[in-house]
Amino acid sequence: MTSTEQRAILRSQIWKIANDVRGAVDGWDFKQYVLGTLFYRFISENFANYIEADDDSIQYSKLPDSVITSDIKDDAIKTKGYFIYPSQLFVNVAASANTNESLNTDLARIFAAVESSANGYPSERDIKGLFADFDTTSNRLGNTVADKNSRLAAVLKRVAELDFGDFEGNHIDLFGDAYEFLISNYAANAGKSGGEFFTPQNVSKLIARLAMHKQVSVNKIYDPACGSGSLLLQAKKQFDEHIIEDGFYGQEINHTTYNLARMNMFLHNINYDKFNIQLGDTLRNPHFGDEKPFDAIVSNPPYSVKWIGSDDPTLINDDRFAPAGVLAPKSKADFAFVLHALHYLSAKGRAAIVCFPGIFYRGGAEQKIRKYLVDNNYVESVISLAPNLFFGTTIAVNILVLSKHKADTTTQFIDASGLCKKETNNNVLLDSHIEQIMSMFDSKKNVDQVAKSASFEEVVSKEYNLSVSNYVEAKDNREMVDIAQLNAELKITVAKIDQLRKEIDAVVAEIEGEELEA
């Protein structure tokens, strides 16, 4: 089965689930039940595969819970980070879902048991609260227990019908594709509160490749506003896993999205000891101070979100912001995220950050921060992308690439605004477009109307304006006009008009003469 076929089946199943729960779960809340059920199925199958260890004589789902010894459970939790009894597996719960009168409470009990299985183990923090947003007793599912059970059973059944073999063998990113499809169809409310926008998979791919470019290995990869973890996971997909030596790190302020990010790590077989996702405000309460610096940083922070800024007098002395000598405006925290990423970046690494275009040309504090970045030779590239690539917004964003190991003092500007495939709802960045951008990024060569490496002096002369359009001259699509030829054609036309007027005057005079004779 091809990736296109798998993706079509997944979307069809999601629509069927939407129809099954219609009238109870509105809009964006619906995603919790789809993604939560996908996750429940995955960890069940993944855990069963671990126990069976390719031994065809063992079928874990058929075993009675009573055969599980404390040693088996202890070893499994130390390895996998959690434990699921055979009776708690997705396949067994889904099989009896239609007739189970206590389905909603059974699911709540199973989820609580899976989370609590890690208590007292190193994985406890990574497992705790994973199912917090999958509320099986919520009135959003129905006012009666029977209504709740009916809708939960429908979701379990549809997810059980997905037949792609095991998750490992899928040609698509099930979780990422489901998330992206849900967002694209619930874009009015989805993922964009507080200036947040879900990063489409191919944009994530470009960002990951920029951050990891030509790195033989990196110690760790970090996203200071990690959302559902898509940017971190693209790094895993694009590069051999051993290249990222010490794992995946991220911080997320939204509790629901924080849970999704942790789920996503497990869904991509990143074990609990290889990721560290923390909940909290990156700007005010940053984690991982003891883990930095990071060799690769990827991020799509919220655009122009408000923050406390100068209202907190301690921040100007914060090691992240102090070197610039000024804080990002309170109404626009964009550069606060940029400076945070820069501070966490290693001397050999790169940071690739999605940015709102306004930060590259506005004055005031933002201009002063740009001056600091350019004067210290941290800006490697500014890349403008096509508009309408993100669900829920038509903004044409830029990617800012920061580096602490530039070979010269030039700053590269790439106009990639024409690189996209136009589709009905959104423009799409194709793999071929990514290859073109990466080729230009790698070569640093000037390409007329597309790319330019500007000298330090030129950037200074433009008062540290880093807008791509300030350096890359846009292609003139106006029709070329030959003035001499146009004048010649006008003379001929005027002569023809004069001749026509003479002929008309003659005809009119003849008619008037005939009328006088009459």
Side-chain angles (χ1 to χ4, degrees):
M1 188 182 298
T2 67
S3 60
T4 301
E5 290 170 334
Q6 287 188 348
R7 192 169 286 112
I9 291 172
L10 175 65
R11 292 177 175 184
S12 174
Q13 289 298 89
I14 290 175
W15 274 124
K16 288 177 182 177
I17 296 171
N19 289 331
D20 290 336
V21 300
R22 183 175 292 163
V25 184
D26 293 325
W28 188 229
D29 292 331
F30 167 57
K31 87 175 187 312
Q32 301 306 133
Y33 296 97
V34 177
L35 298 177
T37 306
L38 276 172
F39 178 67
Y40 175 36
R41 175 179 164 178
F42 169 79
I43 63 168
S44 294
E45 294 179 2
N46 186 271
F47 188 82
N49 289 341
Y50 162 73
I51 295 292
E52 292 165 3
D54 295 325
D55 186 341
D56 293 337
S57 67
I58 301 175
Q59 194 169 358
Y60 186 63
S61 63
K62 302 296 184 183
L63 296 177
D65 291 356
S66 57
V67 304
I68 306 301
T69 65
S70 58
D71 287 342
I72 292 174
K73 185 175 180 180
D74 182 63
D75 287 343
I77 298 172
K78 287 177 179 176
T79 303
K80 297 299 294 180
Y82 60 92
F83 191 86
I84 305 178
Y85 282 98
S87 65
Q88 298 171 334
L89 294 172
F90 172 87
V91 64
N92 289 329
V93 174
S96 61
N98 286 329
T99 58
N100 185 352
E101 295 181 355
S102 59
L103 177 63
N104 69 324
T105 53
D106 283 351
L107 283 171
R109 177 179 50 79
I110 290 170
F111 297 159
V114 172
E115 290 183 12
S116 64
S117 69
N119 289 351
Y121 288 84
S123 60
E124 179 177 353
R125 181 187 54 78
D126 299 304
I127 302 297
K128 187 176 182 179
L130 272 176
F131 290 99
D133 296 300
F134 193 163
D135 187 357
T136 62
T137 61
S138 170
N139 286 335
R140 291 178 296 175
L141 287 168
N143 293 322
T144 67
V145 172
D147 286 341
K148 292 180 176 70
N149 289 340
S150 174
R151 292 188 171 100
L152 286 168
V155 177
L156 291 169
K157 175 186 174 184
R158 297 299 184 188
V159 171
E161 289 173 353
L162 288 170
D163 185 16
F164 297 159
D166 59 47
F167 279 75
E168 289 291 303
N170 287 330
H171 294 295
I172 63 172
D173 174 2
L174 267 177
F175 201 67
D177 273 65
Y179 192 15
E180 187 167 309
F181 182 63
L182 285 163
I183 284 187
S184 68
N185 284 280
Y186 292 96
N189 300 309
K192 60 175 187 177
S193 60
E196 299 173 22
F197 293 94
F198 175 75
T199 314
Q201 291 183 49
N202 263 19
V203 178
S204 297
K205 184 185 298 186
L206 172 61
I207 295 166
R209 289 189 59 179
L210 288 166
M212 300 280 287
H213 185 61
K214 286 189 173 179
Q215 300 218 55
V216 177
S217 66
V218 299
N219 60 352
K220 294 162 283 194
I221 186 164
Y222 168 57
D223 185 344
C226 68
S228 65
S230 64
L231 285 170
L232 293 172
L233 293 166
Q234 276 298 335
K236 180 179 184 290
K237 290 181 70 174
Q238 295 302 308
F239 302 92
D240 293 338
E241 196 163 348
H242 70 272
I243 288 178
I244 304 170
E245 296 170 349
D246 298 322
F248 303 78
Y249 292 74
Q251 185 165 344
E252 172 56 33
I253 194 170
N254 180 282
H255 191 276
T256 296
T257 320
Y258 156 73
N259 282 339
L260 287 175
R262 292 189 295 156
M263 287 182 184
N264 227 346
M265 296 296 123
F266 283 107
L267 279 163
H268 288 80
N269 262 340
I270 298 174
N271 210 25
Y272 73 91
D273 59 345
K274 277 292 188 180
F275 75 83
N276 191 342
I277 308 295
Q278 294 284 346
L279 177 66
D281 184 339
T282 297
L283 299 182
R284 298 195 67 186
N285 299 295
H287 288 273
F288 312 124
D290 294 334
E291 296 286 350
K292 65 177 175 58
F294 295 90
D295 290 342
I297 296 177
V298 291
S299 192
N300 178 16
Y303 308 150
S304 300
V305 71
K306 295 179 181 178
W307 76 307
I308 192 169
S310 58
D311 284 348
D312 181 349
T314 67
L315 286 175
I316 193 59
N317 296 315
D318 190 299
D319 289 344
R320 298 169 296 168
F321 312 125
V326 65
L327 295 172
K330 290 188 293 182
S331 60
K332 302 175 183 68
D334 308 71
F335 265 127
F337 284 102
V338 169
L339 291 173
H340 171 91
L342 179 68
H343 182 67
Y344 275 54
L345 185 64
S346 75
K348 61 167 276 193
R350 279 192 182 91
I353 307 166
V354 180
C355 296
F356 183 78
I359 72 168
F360 294 105
Y361 59 79
R362 290 190 294 243
E366 291 178 316
Q367 183 183 35
K368 292 177 182 177
I369 294 172
R370 292 196 303 272
K371 181 179 186 301
Y372 162 72
L373 294 174
V374 172
D375 285 352
N376 287 276
N377 203 29
Y378 292 137
V379 181
E380 181 171 3
S381 294
V382 181
I383 305 167
S384 64
L385 299 182
N388 207 29
L389 288 174
F390 289 69
F391 298 116
T393 178
T394 59
I395 294 172
V397 301
N398 292 355
I399 298 176
L400 172 65
V401 183
L402 300 176
S403 171
K404 293 181 178 179
H405 58 89
K406 287 172 61 180
D408 56 37
T409 60
T410 64
T411 301
Q412 183 190 40
F413 298 89
I414 298 176
D415 182 358
S417 59
L419 297 180
C420 68
K421 178 185 177 185
K422 297 186 182 298
E423 294 193 349
T424 304
N425 295 322
N426 282 85
N427 291 329
V428 177
L429 193 68
L430 301 179
D431 287 344
S432 59
H433 301 140
I434 293 174
E435 293 303 328
Q436 291 179 65
I437 294 170
M438 290 306 304
S439 176
M440 290 184 284
F441 176 75
D442 177 60
S443 72
K444 297 296 190 291
K445 292 180 180 177
N446 293 336
V447 180
D448 287 346
Q449 300 168 335
V450 179
K452 179 177 180 180
S453 289
S455 67
F456 170 76
E457 290 76 18
E458 182 177 1
V459 175
V460 172
S461 72
K462 293 182 183 292
E463 299 180 329
Y464 299 94
N465 184 317
L466 297 180
S467 295
V468 172
S469 60
N470 232 19
Y471 300 89
V472 180
E473 184 179 354
K475 184 176 182 180
D476 190 345
N477 293 314
R478 293 175 299 179
E479 184 180 354
M480 295 293 291
V481 177
D482 187 328
I483 299 298
Q485 182 181 346
L486 180 61
N487 285 333
E489 291 174 352
L490 283 173
K491 287 180 180 179
I492 294 171
T493 301
V494 169
K496 287 180 179 180
I497 291 173
D498 288 342
Q499 180 61 35
L500 182 59
R501 283 175 175 167
K502 290 177 181 179
E503 292 174 358
I504 292 172
D505 288 343
V507 171
V508 171
E510 183 179 347
I511 293 173
E512 289 176 344
E514 291 175 353
E515 289 177 348
L516 289 173
E517 291 177 0

